[in-house]
């Protein structure tokens, strides 16, 4: 048997639920535990021995970091309360991931605490009870917003940790639609991923559809899951009156199916009217500047967009920058950090920016749950204003949406995956329209 203590801890890891499925990777285990020599060593479970994770997600943090991962700036209201709630959230995702990975023994540490007496009022208690149901189904995906008129596939993890084999079937109802899986037999200690397919309606305005999935064992209900899905119509983009939207889309950038004039070469930016035009930088448009060999020449023309952008800002220009891999060599005065988030939080109360976007709409974007893949270090100069943030080991030191002053102009830098998920995530289209 292989044993590990605290191998993959929050808030060092933050992108739940995705980060919980780490056992198929080779990772360097954390420093929190040392069972069987696990400390700071590369580990990959070859599945040639049973795996026992005796303690995990204790999260004995003296900072606000754990709470910020799941609750943003609300965590600063009460460090202990929100760290405990965040620990409970991480337990849910991590325990289910360990169960479906086939971990033989597992124990989050622990709603009973050091005294061994269960605290039934702790947020940890109902989570631990929920994730240890022996015969149960749990959703694999946590995204809940979709465009109408499409097929929706949901996957459920089904467990049989009873001592007998069971004949099982899933039945789910979404709105007025009922679907079911074929019957299947699951042996003791068995697990299976079961897909269900729904046809989404095509509404003209947002609607909410309740969903209930039931696990039947020998025809009797053994476990159920309930949630709500929101279905949206696709929206057409219309720029404000008197404004021309111009896209900078050099070769290799992501092209979005929205109206506006297109620029392919950086020098074309010099032809824009800073008083009328809003320049949108397409996702992936910026490249890392090439290394220049030899002695630099002062005032030498730059082949990239840095100088044309600086001149546009000098005239009062406004620029929206969608998600990029680099901001090196550009005049924004901010940098990117390698931090991917599945949950983000608004820091602004701007009614225009947040119109149609609720507190839960910046979490679990459609597809792989990610809202960002890289984020912005929060600016401390250039009149910088951070509008959206995410939590990490450094608390709220980074975010997906930042506004900065550049010369006489201003830039809105958006690392949320508006471009990548424009066709699949309703909040990407709504957010694009407002920013």
């Amino acid at each position: 048997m292989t044993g590990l203590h605290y191998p993959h801890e929050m808030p060092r890891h933050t992108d739940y639920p995705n980060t919980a499925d780490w056992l198929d990777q080779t990772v360097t285990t954390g420093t929190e535990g040392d069972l069987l020599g696990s400390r700071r060593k590369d580990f990959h479970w070859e599945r040639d021995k049973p795996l026992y994770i005796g303690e995990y997600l204790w999260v004995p943090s003296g900072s606000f970091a754990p709470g910020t991962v799941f609750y943003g700036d609300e965590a600063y209201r009460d460090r202990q309360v929100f760290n405990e709630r965040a620990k409970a959230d991480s337990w849910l995702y991590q325990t289910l991931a360990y169960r479906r990975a086939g971990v033989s023994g597992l124990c989050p540490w622990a709603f009973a605490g050091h005294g061994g007496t269960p605290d039934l009022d702790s947020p940890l208690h109902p989570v631990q009870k929920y994730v240890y149901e022996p015969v149960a189904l749990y959703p694999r995906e946590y995204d809940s917003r979709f465009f109408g008129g499409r097929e929706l596939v949901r996957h459920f993890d089904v467990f049989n940790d009873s001592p007998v084999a069971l004949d099982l079937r899933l039945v789910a109802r979404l709105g007025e639609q009922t679907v079911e899986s074929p019957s299947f037999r699951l042996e003791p200690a068995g697990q299976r991923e079961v897909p269900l397919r729904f046809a989404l309606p095509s509404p003209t305005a947002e609607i909410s559809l309740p969903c209930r999935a039931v696990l039947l064992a020998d025809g009797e209900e053994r476990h159920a899951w309930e949630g709500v899905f929101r279905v949206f119509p696709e929206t057409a983009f219309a720029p404000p009156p008197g404004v021309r939207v111009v896209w900078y889309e050099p070769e290799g950038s992501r092209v979005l199916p929205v109206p506006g004039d297109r620029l392919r070469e950086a020098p074309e930016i010099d032809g824009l009217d800073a008083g009328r035009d809003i320049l949108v930088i397409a996702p992936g448009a910026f490249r890392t500047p090439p290394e220049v060999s030899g002695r630099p020449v002062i005032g030498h023309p730059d082949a990239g967009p840095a100088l044309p952008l600086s001149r546009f800002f000098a005239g009062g220009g406004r620029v929206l920058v969608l998600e990029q891999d680099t901001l090196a060599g550009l005049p924004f005065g901010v940098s990117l950090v390698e931090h991917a988030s599945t949950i983000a939080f608004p820091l602004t109360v701007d009614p225009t920016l947040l119109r149609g976007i609720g507190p839960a709409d910046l979490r679990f974007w459609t597809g792989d749950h990610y809202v960002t893949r890289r984020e912005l270090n929060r600016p401390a100069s250039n009149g910088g204003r951070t509008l959206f943030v995410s939590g990490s080991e450094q608390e709220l030191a980074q975010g997906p949406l930042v506004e900065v002053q550049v010369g006489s102009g201003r830039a809105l830098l958006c690392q949320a995956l508006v471009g990548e998920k424009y066709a699949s995530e309703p909040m990407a289209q709504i957010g694009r329209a407002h920013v």
Side-chain angles (χ1 to χ4, degrees), residues 55-245:
E55 299 171 18
Y56 59 93
L57 290 170
W58 177 23
V59 195
S61 177
S63 78
F64 292 90
T68 66
V69 173
F70 288 96
Y71 297 98
D73 64 335
E74 192 178 5
Y76 295 104
R77 292 170 50 196
D78 189 310
R79 178 178 58 83
Q80 182 175 352
V81 166
F82 284 94
N83 280 3
E84 195 84 341
R85 289 173 62 182
K87 179 160 68 171
D89 292 331
S90 67
W91 279 16
L92 185 151
Y93 302 122
Q94 189 61 79
T95 303
L96 292 178
Y98 284 158
R99 286 187 71 181
R100 66 173 164 262
V103 176
S104 298
L106 54 148
C107 179
W109 188 264
F111 81 95
H114 289 287
T117 302
D119 178 3
L120 301 186
D121 294 326
S122 166
L124 303 173
H125 173 250
V127 168
Q128 193 157 359
K129 182 177 184 298
Y130 172 74
V131 297
Y132 277 129
E133 288 288 340
V135 180
L137 82 166
Y138 302 97
R140 178 68 66 90
E141 300 94 355
Y142 293 90
D143 49 341
S144 60
R145 297 167 301 273
F146 311 98
F147 289 120
R150 304 182 184 183
E151 182 184 60
L152 173 64
V153 181
R154 298 282 88 177
H155 298 85
F156 290 87
D157 288 312
V158 178
F159 299 97
N160 177 20
D161 284 319
S162 77
V164 297
L166 294 173
D167 293 314
L168 302 171
R169 181 165 56 95
L170 270 64
V171 178
R173 186 173 180 84
L174 177 63
E176 299 300 317
Q177 179 184 182
T178 300
V179 301
E180 62 182 69
S181 73
S183 297
F184 58 96
R185 189 170 183 83
L186 207 55
E187 298 297 322
Q191 181 270 338
R192 177 177 293 194
E193 180 183 308
V194 179
L196 293 177
R197 287 176 163 79
F198 302 91
L200 296 177
S202 300
T204 57
E206 177 191 343
I207 60 172
S208 294
L209 297 177
C211 183
R212 187 172 193 267
V214 175
L215 178 63
L216 301 176
D218 299 321
E220 299 292 328
E221 180 175 325
R222 293 292 296 267
H223 195 243
W225 170 86
E226 295 183 357
V228 175
F229 295 154
R230 296 161 61 197
V231 184
F232 295 76
E234 295 199 57
T235 57
F237 172 68
V243 171
R244 184 177 71 145
V245 175

Side-chain angles (χ1 to χ4, degrees), residues 388-407:
F388 294 170
V389 291
S390 69
S392 73
E393 203 167 14
Q394 289 74 44
E395 300 180 16
L396 301 179
Q398 60 287 311
L401 190 65
V402 165
E403 184 181 37
V404 293
Q405 298 292 321
V406 186

